[in-house]
Amino acid sequence: AQSVTQLDSQVPVFEEAPVELRCNYSSSVSVYLFWYVQYPNQGLQLLLKYLSGSTLVKGINGFEAEFNKSQTSFHLRKPSVHISDTAEYFCAVTEQGFQKLVFGTGTRLLVSP
Amino acid sequence: DAGVIQSPRHEVTEMGQEVTLRCKPISGHDYLFWYRQTMMRGLELLIYFNNNVPIDDSGMPEDRFSAKMPNASFSTLKIQPSEPRDSAVYFCASSFWGARGKGEAFFGQGTRLTVV
Protein backbone atom coordinates (compact mmCIF):
# COMPACT_ATOMS: atom_id res chain seq x y z
CA ALA A 1 0.00 0.00 0.00
CA GLN A 2 1.15 3.49 -0.74
CA SER A 3 2.09 6.03 1.92
CA VAL A 4 3.23 9.65 2.02
CA THR A 5 5.64 11.34 4.40
CA GLN A 6 5.85 15.07 4.92
CA LEU A 7 8.69 15.48 7.38
CA ASP A 8 8.17 19.17 8.10
CA SER A 9 5.05 19.91 10.10
CA GLN A 10 5.71 23.65 9.92
CA VAL A 11 7.92 25.83 7.74
CA PRO A 12 8.38 29.50 8.69
CA VAL A 13 9.73 31.79 5.97
CA PHE A 14 9.98 35.50 5.26
CA GLU A 15 8.06 37.13 2.47
CA GLU A 16 9.83 37.04 -0.94
CA ALA A 17 12.14 34.23 0.20
CA PRO A 18 12.21 30.88 -1.61
CA VAL A 19 10.62 27.85 -0.03
CA GLU A 20 10.69 24.07 -0.45
CA LEU A 21 8.17 21.73 1.13
CA ARG A 22 9.30 18.15 1.19
CA CYS A 23 7.30 15.07 0.27
CA ASN A 24 8.42 11.46 0.05
CA TYR A 25 6.24 8.54 -0.91
CA SER A 26 6.37 4.80 -0.66
CA SER A 27 4.91 2.52 -3.29
CA SER A 28 5.83 -0.64 -5.11
CA VAL A 29 4.19 0.45 -8.35
CA SER A 30 3.97 3.54 -10.51
CA VAL A 31 2.16 6.45 -8.94
CA TYR A 32 0.38 9.69 -9.61
CA LEU A 33 1.32 12.54 -7.27
CA PHE A 34 -0.52 15.66 -6.17
CA TRP A 35 -0.07 18.75 -4.04
CA TYR A 36 -3.07 20.39 -2.44
CA VAL A 37 -3.39 23.63 -0.49
CA GLN A 38 -5.84 24.31 2.31
CA TYR A 39 -6.58 27.83 3.47
CA PRO A 40 -8.21 28.33 6.90
CA ASN A 41 -11.76 27.02 7.08
CA GLN A 42 -11.65 25.91 3.47
CA GLY A 43 -11.56 22.65 1.59
CA LEU A 44 -8.50 21.39 -0.23
CA GLN A 45 -7.61 22.89 -3.59
CA LEU A 46 -5.40 21.22 -6.16
CA LEU A 47 -2.08 23.04 -6.72
CA LEU A 48 -0.46 20.72 -9.22
CA LYS A 49 -0.18 17.10 -10.28
CA TYR A 50 2.29 14.68 -11.79
CA LEU A 51 0.82 11.96 -13.99
CA SER A 52 3.58 11.21 -16.49
CA GLY A 53 6.05 12.91 -18.81
CA SER A 54 8.17 15.84 -17.67
CA THR A 55 9.30 15.45 -14.09
CA LEU A 56 9.01 19.19 -13.46
CA VAL A 57 5.41 20.26 -13.15
CA LYS A 58 4.08 23.75 -12.74
CA GLY A 59 0.95 24.64 -10.86
CA ILE A 60 -1.10 27.59 -9.80
CA ASN A 61 0.14 30.57 -7.80
CA GLY A 62 3.73 30.17 -9.01
CA PHE A 63 4.34 26.79 -7.39
CA GLU A 64 6.21 23.95 -9.04
CA ALA A 65 7.24 20.46 -8.04
CA GLU A 66 9.76 17.93 -9.27
CA PHE A 67 9.18 14.20 -9.39
CA ASN A 68 12.27 12.18 -8.53
CA LYS A 69 11.63 8.49 -8.98
CA SER A 70 14.98 7.32 -7.64
CA GLN A 71 14.50 9.26 -4.42
CA THR A 72 10.74 8.69 -4.35
CA SER A 73 10.22 12.38 -3.75
CA PHE A 74 7.92 15.10 -5.00
CA HIS A 75 9.07 18.33 -3.36
CA LEU A 76 7.12 21.54 -3.79
CA ARG A 77 8.93 24.81 -4.46
CA LYS A 78 8.25 28.48 -4.94
CA PRO A 79 11.03 30.99 -5.71
CA SER A 80 9.38 33.90 -3.87
CA VAL A 81 6.54 33.52 -1.41
CA HIS A 82 3.82 35.98 -0.48
CA ILE A 83 1.95 36.51 2.74
CA SER A 84 -1.09 35.06 1.02
CA ASP A 85 0.71 31.71 0.62
CA THR A 86 0.29 31.08 4.32
CA ALA A 87 -1.71 27.85 4.41
CA GLU A 88 -1.49 24.09 4.96
CA TYR A 89 -0.01 22.08 2.11
CA PHE A 90 -0.73 18.40 1.55
CA CYS A 91 1.08 15.93 -0.64
CA ALA A 92 -0.98 13.00 -1.92
CA VAL A 93 -0.36 9.84 -3.91
CA THR A 94 -2.42 7.30 -5.75
CA GLU A 95 -1.13 4.15 -7.33
CA GLN A 96 -1.73 3.64 -11.02
CA GLY A 97 -4.53 1.16 -11.40
CA PHE A 98 -5.98 2.11 -8.03
CA GLN A 99 -8.08 5.08 -7.09
CA LYS A 100 -7.36 5.42 -3.39
CA LEU A 101 -5.87 8.87 -2.77
CA VAL A 102 -3.66 8.89 0.31
CA PHE A 103 -2.52 12.13 1.93
CA GLY A 104 0.48 13.10 3.98
CA THR A 105 0.10 14.79 7.35
CA GLY A 106 0.50 18.25 5.89
CA THR A 107 3.00 21.10 6.20
CA ARG A 108 1.95 24.46 7.54
CA LEU A 109 3.68 27.26 5.64
CA LEU A 110 3.93 30.47 7.69
CA VAL A 111 4.98 33.52 5.70
CA SER A 112 5.87 36.60 7.72
CA PRO A 113 6.72 40.13 6.58
CA ASP B 1 -20.27 23.25 -12.25
CA ALA B 2 -20.79 24.38 -8.66
CA GLY B 3 -18.21 21.95 -7.36
CA VAL B 4 -18.70 19.43 -4.58
CA ILE B 5 -21.45 20.59 -2.27
CA GLN B 6 -21.62 19.54 1.34
CA SER B 7 -24.29 20.21 3.93
CA PRO B 8 -24.52 21.33 6.58
CA ARG B 9 -21.36 23.46 6.91
CA HIS B 10 -21.55 23.30 10.68
CA GLU B 11 -23.27 20.83 12.95
CA VAL B 12 -23.43 20.86 16.73
CA THR B 13 -25.09 17.91 18.36
CA GLU B 14 -25.31 16.20 21.70
CA MET B 15 -23.60 12.94 22.45
CA GLY B 16 -25.79 10.00 21.53
CA GLN B 17 -27.66 11.77 18.75
CA GLU B 18 -27.67 10.65 15.14
CA VAL B 19 -25.81 12.86 12.69
CA THR B 20 -26.17 12.80 8.91
CA LEU B 21 -23.73 14.57 6.62
CA ARG B 22 -24.60 15.10 2.98
CA CYS B 23 -22.63 15.41 -0.22
CA LYS B 24 -23.38 16.18 -3.84
CA PRO B 25 -20.41 15.31 -6.07
CA ILE B 26 -19.46 16.99 -9.31
CA SER B 27 -21.65 15.80 -12.15
CA GLY B 28 -19.93 13.13 -14.23
CA HIS B 29 -17.44 12.11 -11.55
CA ASP B 30 -17.41 8.40 -10.88
CA TYR B 31 -15.54 8.31 -7.57
CA LEU B 32 -16.65 9.75 -4.26
CA PHE B 33 -14.56 9.91 -1.11
CA TRP B 34 -15.30 10.72 2.52
CA TYR B 35 -12.39 12.07 4.60
CA ARG B 36 -12.14 13.13 8.22
CA GLN B 37 -9.67 15.81 9.35
CA THR B 38 -8.51 16.30 12.92
CA MET B 39 -5.49 17.94 14.47
CA MET B 40 -4.31 14.68 15.95
CA ARG B 41 -4.78 12.34 12.99
CA GLY B 42 -4.66 14.64 9.98
CA LEU B 43 -6.66 13.74 6.89
CA GLU B 44 -8.03 10.20 7.03
CA LEU B 45 -9.83 8.40 4.23
CA LEU B 46 -12.97 6.83 5.67
CA ILE B 47 -14.60 5.24 2.63
CA TYR B 48 -14.82 5.63 -1.12
CA PHE B 49 -17.31 4.68 -3.80
CA ASN B 50 -17.02 3.91 -7.49
CA ASN B 51 -20.19 4.27 -9.54
CA ASN B 52 -22.21 4.34 -6.30
CA VAL B 53 -20.70 1.09 -5.01
CA PRO B 54 -18.57 1.13 -1.83
CA ILE B 55 -15.08 -0.05 -2.72
CA ASP B 56 -13.05 0.36 0.46
CA ASP B 57 -14.49 1.12 3.88
CA SER B 58 -11.46 0.06 5.86
CA GLY B 59 -11.05 3.57 7.19
CA MET B 60 -14.45 3.70 8.83
CA PRO B 61 -13.58 3.87 12.53
CA GLU B 62 -16.35 1.64 13.87
CA ASP B 63 -19.85 0.38 13.33
CA ARG B 64 -21.34 3.66 14.46
CA PHE B 65 -20.30 5.06 11.09
CA SER B 66 -22.11 4.21 7.87
CA ALA B 67 -22.11 5.68 4.39
CA LYS B 68 -24.43 5.33 1.44
CA MET B 69 -24.57 6.47 -2.14
CA PRO B 70 -28.06 5.81 -3.47
CA ASN B 71 -27.36 7.51 -6.79
CA ALA B 72 -24.61 9.28 -8.70
CA SER B 73 -25.49 12.71 -7.33
CA PHE B 74 -25.86 12.10 -3.62
CA SER B 75 -24.08 10.48 -0.70
CA THR B 76 -24.54 10.48 3.07
CA LEU B 77 -22.28 9.75 6.00
CA LYS B 78 -24.15 8.84 9.15
CA ILE B 79 -22.92 8.57 12.71
CA GLN B 80 -25.21 6.85 15.17
CA PRO B 81 -24.79 7.32 18.07
CA SER B 82 -22.37 10.25 17.98
CA GLU B 83 -19.59 10.70 20.53
CA PRO B 84 -17.41 13.70 21.44
CA ARG B 85 -14.37 12.05 19.81
CA ASP B 86 -16.20 12.18 16.48
CA SER B 87 -15.76 15.96 16.48
CA ALA B 88 -13.84 16.82 13.32
CA VAL B 89 -14.16 18.34 9.88
CA TYR B 90 -15.60 15.86 7.41
CA PHE B 91 -14.79 16.35 3.75
CA CYS B 92 -16.41 14.86 0.71
CA ALA B 93 -14.45 14.73 -2.54
CA SER B 94 -15.14 13.44 -6.02
CA SER B 95 -12.92 12.49 -8.94
CA PHE B 96 -12.99 11.12 -12.44
CA TRP B 97 -10.73 8.46 -13.93
CA GLY B 98 -10.41 8.49 -17.68
CA ALA B 99 -9.04 10.49 -20.56
CA ARG B 100 -10.15 13.75 -18.97
CA GLY B 101 -8.67 13.16 -15.57
CA LYS B 102 -6.48 10.88 -13.55
CA GLY B 103 -8.08 10.89 -10.18
CA GLU B 104 -7.35 14.39 -8.93
CA ALA B 105 -9.93 14.87 -6.23
CA PHE B 106 -12.11 17.95 -5.93
CA PHE B 107 -13.11 18.75 -2.36
CA GLY B 108 -16.17 20.26 -0.81
CA GLN B 109 -15.95 22.96 1.84
CA GLY B 110 -16.37 20.42 4.60
CA THR B 111 -18.76 19.94 7.51
CA ARG B 112 -17.43 20.94 10.92
CA LEU B 113 -18.99 18.55 13.40
CA THR B 114 -18.98 19.26 17.12
CA VAL B 115 -20.37 16.65 19.48
CA VAL B 116 -20.92 17.94 23.01
PDB file of all heavy atoms in Angstrom, chain A residues 28-40:
ATOM      1  N   SER A  28       5.137   0.397  -4.344  1.00  0.00           N
ATOM      2  CA  SER A  28       5.828  -0.643  -5.109  1.00  0.00           C
ATOM      3  C   SER A  28       5.491  -0.581  -6.596  1.00  0.00           C
ATOM      4  O   SER A  28       6.041  -1.334  -7.390  1.00  0.00           O
ATOM      5  CB  SER A  28       5.462  -2.022  -4.557  1.00  0.00           C
ATOM      6  OG  SER A  28       4.060  -2.213  -4.609  1.00  0.00           O
ATOM      7  N   VAL A  29       4.595   0.333  -6.959  1.00  0.00           N
ATOM      8  CA  VAL A  29       4.186   0.455  -8.353  1.00  0.00           C
ATOM      9  C   VAL A  29       4.268   1.916  -8.764  1.00  0.00           C
ATOM     10  O   VAL A  29       4.566   2.789  -7.954  1.00  0.00           O
ATOM     11  CB  VAL A  29       2.759  -0.090  -8.568  1.00  0.00           C
ATOM     12  CG1 VAL A  29       2.687  -1.564  -8.197  1.00  0.00           C
ATOM     13  CG2 VAL A  29       1.756   0.718  -7.778  1.00  0.00           C
ATOM     14  N   SER A  30       3.967   2.171 -10.024  1.00  0.00           N
ATOM     15  CA  SER A  30       3.973   3.545 -10.512  1.00  0.00           C
ATOM     16  C   SER A  30       2.844   4.333  -9.859  1.00  0.00           C
ATOM     17  O   SER A  30       1.791   3.785  -9.520  1.00  0.00           O
ATOM     18  CB  SER A  30       3.810   3.556 -12.035  1.00  0.00           C
ATOM     19  OG  SER A  30       4.903   2.920 -12.650  1.00  0.00           O
ATOM     20  N   VAL A  31       3.106   5.616  -9.693  1.00  0.00           N
ATOM     21  CA  VAL A  31       2.163   6.446  -8.943  1.00  0.00           C
ATOM     22  C   VAL A  31       1.815   7.730  -9.682  1.00  0.00           C
ATOM     23  O   VAL A  31       2.508   8.143 -10.624  1.00  0.00           O
ATOM     24  CB  VAL A  31       2.745   6.840  -7.563  1.00  0.00           C
ATOM     25  CG1 VAL A  31       2.951   5.607  -6.700  1.00  0.00           C
ATOM     26  CG2 VAL A  31       4.047   7.630  -7.727  1.00  0.00           C
ATOM     27  N   TYR A  32       0.732   8.320  -9.259  1.00  0.00           N
ATOM     28  CA  TYR A  32       0.382   9.692  -9.605  1.00  0.00           C
ATOM     29  C   TYR A  32       0.535  10.502  -8.318  1.00  0.00           C
ATOM     30  O   TYR A  32       0.207  10.034  -7.228  1.00  0.00           O
ATOM     31  CB  TYR A  32      -1.056   9.794 -10.100  1.00  0.00           C
ATOM     32  CG  TYR A  32      -1.355   9.002 -11.353  1.00  0.00           C
ATOM     33  CD1 TYR A  32      -2.454   8.150 -11.416  1.00  0.00           C
ATOM     34  CD2 TYR A  32      -0.560   9.124 -12.486  1.00  0.00           C
ATOM     35  CE1 TYR A  32      -2.751   7.438 -12.559  1.00  0.00           C
ATOM     36  CE2 TYR A  32      -0.843   8.403 -13.642  1.00  0.00           C
ATOM     37  CZ  TYR A  32      -1.936   7.563 -13.670  1.00  0.00           C
ATOM     38  OH  TYR A  32      -2.222   6.854 -14.805  1.00  0.00           O
ATOM     39  N   LEU A  33       1.029  11.729  -8.441  1.00  0.00           N
ATOM     40  CA  LEU A  33       1.319  12.543  -7.269  1.00  0.00           C
ATOM     41  C   LEU A  33       0.646  13.900  -7.369  1.00  0.00           C
ATOM     42  O   LEU A  33       0.529  14.472  -8.461  1.00  0.00           O
ATOM     43  CB  LEU A  33       2.832  12.736  -7.131  1.00  0.00           C
ATOM     44  CG  LEU A  33       3.605  11.447  -6.811  1.00  0.00           C
ATOM     45  CD1 LEU A  33       5.038  11.564  -7.283  1.00  0.00           C
ATOM     46  CD2 LEU A  33       3.554  11.153  -5.327  1.00  0.00           C
ATOM     47  N   PHE A  34       0.241  14.417  -6.216  1.00  0.00           N
ATOM     48  CA  PHE A  34      -0.519  15.661  -6.170  1.00  0.00           C
ATOM     49  C   PHE A  34      -0.055  16.512  -4.990  1.00  0.00           C
ATOM     50  O   PHE A  34       0.394  15.995  -3.974  1.00  0.00           O
ATOM     51  CB  PHE A  34      -2.018  15.370  -5.984  1.00  0.00           C
ATOM     52  CG  PHE A  34      -2.591  14.399  -6.977  1.00  0.00           C
ATOM     53  CD1 PHE A  34      -2.535  13.020  -6.756  1.00  0.00           C
ATOM     54  CD2 PHE A  34      -3.203  14.842  -8.134  1.00  0.00           C
ATOM     55  CE1 PHE A  34      -3.061  12.118  -7.661  1.00  0.00           C
ATOM     56  CE2 PHE A  34      -3.745  13.954  -9.057  1.00  0.00           C
ATOM     57  CZ  PHE A  34      -3.671  12.592  -8.817  1.00  0.00           C
ATOM     58  N   TRP A  35      -0.189  17.821  -5.154  1.00  0.00           N
ATOM     59  CA  TRP A  35      -0.066  18.755  -4.043  1.00  0.00           C
ATOM     60  C   TRP A  35      -1.367  19.545  -3.960  1.00  0.00           C
ATOM     61  O   TRP A  35      -1.870  20.059  -4.969  1.00  0.00           O
ATOM     62  CB  TRP A  35       1.092  19.733  -4.232  1.00  0.00           C
ATOM     63  CG  TRP A  35       2.415  19.219  -3.765  1.00  0.00           C
ATOM     64  CD1 TRP A  35       3.417  18.680  -4.510  1.00  0.00           C
ATOM     65  CD2 TRP A  35       2.902  19.224  -2.419  1.00  0.00           C
ATOM     66  NE1 TRP A  35       4.490  18.335  -3.721  1.00  0.00           N
ATOM     67  CE2 TRP A  35       4.200  18.659  -2.427  1.00  0.00           C
ATOM     68  CE3 TRP A  35       2.377  19.658  -1.197  1.00  0.00           C
ATOM     69  CZ2 TRP A  35       4.977  18.520  -1.273  1.00  0.00           C
ATOM     70  CZ3 TRP A  35       3.142  19.522  -0.052  1.00  0.00           C
ATOM     71  CH2 TRP A  35       4.433  18.950  -0.093  1.00  0.00           C
ATOM     72  N   TYR A  36      -1.876  19.619  -2.717  1.00  0.00           N
ATOM     73  CA  TYR A  36      -3.074  20.390  -2.437  1.00  0.00           C
ATOM     74  C   TYR A  36      -2.745  21.478  -1.430  1.00  0.00           C
ATOM     75  O   TYR A  36      -1.845  21.334  -0.596  1.00  0.00           O
ATOM     76  CB  TYR A  36      -4.168  19.495  -1.843  1.00  0.00           C
ATOM     77  CG  TYR A  36      -4.867  18.597  -2.828  1.00  0.00           C
ATOM     78  CD1 TYR A  36      -4.298  17.387  -3.222  1.00  0.00           C
ATOM     79  CD2 TYR A  36      -6.091  18.946  -3.368  1.00  0.00           C
ATOM     80  CE1 TYR A  36      -4.937  16.559  -4.136  1.00  0.00           C
ATOM     81  CE2 TYR A  36      -6.753  18.122  -4.271  1.00  0.00           C
ATOM     82  CZ  TYR A  36      -6.170  16.933  -4.647  1.00  0.00           C
ATOM     83  OH  TYR A  36      -6.813  16.113  -5.540  1.00  0.00           O
ATOM     84  N   VAL A  37      -3.530  22.568  -1.459  1.00  0.00           N
ATOM     85  CA  VAL A  37      -3.395  23.633  -0.491  1.00  0.00           C
ATOM     86  C   VAL A  37      -4.733  23.810   0.221  1.00  0.00           C
ATOM     87  O   VAL A  37      -5.797  23.662  -0.393  1.00  0.00           O
ATOM     88  CB  VAL A  37      -2.950  24.959  -1.146  1.00  0.00           C
ATOM     89  CG1 VAL A  37      -3.941  25.437  -2.198  1.00  0.00           C
ATOM     90  CG2 VAL A  37      -2.735  26.045  -0.097  1.00  0.00           C
ATOM     91  N   GLN A  38      -4.645  24.061   1.522  1.00  0.00           N
ATOM     92  CA  GLN A  38      -5.842  24.305   2.309  1.00  0.00           C
ATOM     93  C   GLN A  38      -5.694  25.613   3.061  1.00  0.00           C
ATOM     94  O   GLN A  38      -4.823  25.739   3.933  1.00  0.00           O
ATOM     95  CB  GLN A  38      -6.098  23.153   3.286  1.00  0.00           C
ATOM     96  CG  GLN A  38      -7.396  23.311   4.075  1.00  0.00           C
ATOM     97  CD  GLN A  38      -7.636  22.165   5.054  1.00  0.00           C
ATOM     98  OE1 GLN A  38      -6.703  21.590   5.590  1.00  0.00           O
ATOM     99  NE2 GLN A  38      -8.897  21.829   5.276  1.00  0.00           N
ATOM    100  N   TYR A  39      -6.532  26.578   2.739  1.00  0.00           N
ATOM    101  CA  TYR A  39      -6.583  27.835   3.474  1.00  0.00           C
ATOM    102  C   TYR A  39      -7.522  27.663   4.669  1.00  0.00           C
ATOM    103  O   TYR A  39      -8.372  26.769   4.660  1.00  0.00           O
ATOM    104  CB  TYR A  39      -7.031  28.968   2.563  1.00  0.00           C
ATOM    105  CG  TYR A  39      -6.104  29.184   1.396  1.00  0.00           C
ATOM    106  CD1 TYR A  39      -6.421  28.734   0.116  1.00  0.00           C
ATOM    107  CD2 TYR A  39      -4.874  29.829   1.575  1.00  0.00           C
ATOM    108  CE1 TYR A  39      -5.558  28.912  -0.951  1.00  0.00           C
ATOM    109  CE2 TYR A  39      -4.002  29.998   0.515  1.00  0.00           C
ATOM    110  CZ  TYR A  39      -4.349  29.534  -0.735  1.00  0.00           C
ATOM    111  OH  TYR A  39      -3.488  29.704  -1.783  1.00  0.00           O
ATOM    112  N   PRO A  40      -7.387  28.491   5.692  1.00  0.00           N
ATOM    113  CA  PRO A  40      -8.212  28.326   6.903  1.00  0.00           C
ATOM    114  C   PRO A  40      -9.694  28.230   6.588  1.00  0.00           C
ATOM    115  O   PRO A  40     -10.227  29.007   5.787  1.00  0.00           O
ATOM    116  CB  PRO A  40      -7.870  29.588   7.701  1.00  0.00           C
ATOM    117  CG  PRO A  40      -6.490  29.952   7.270  1.00  0.00           C
ATOM    118  CD  PRO A  40      -6.423  29.596   5.809  1.00  0.00           C
TER     119      PRO A  40
END
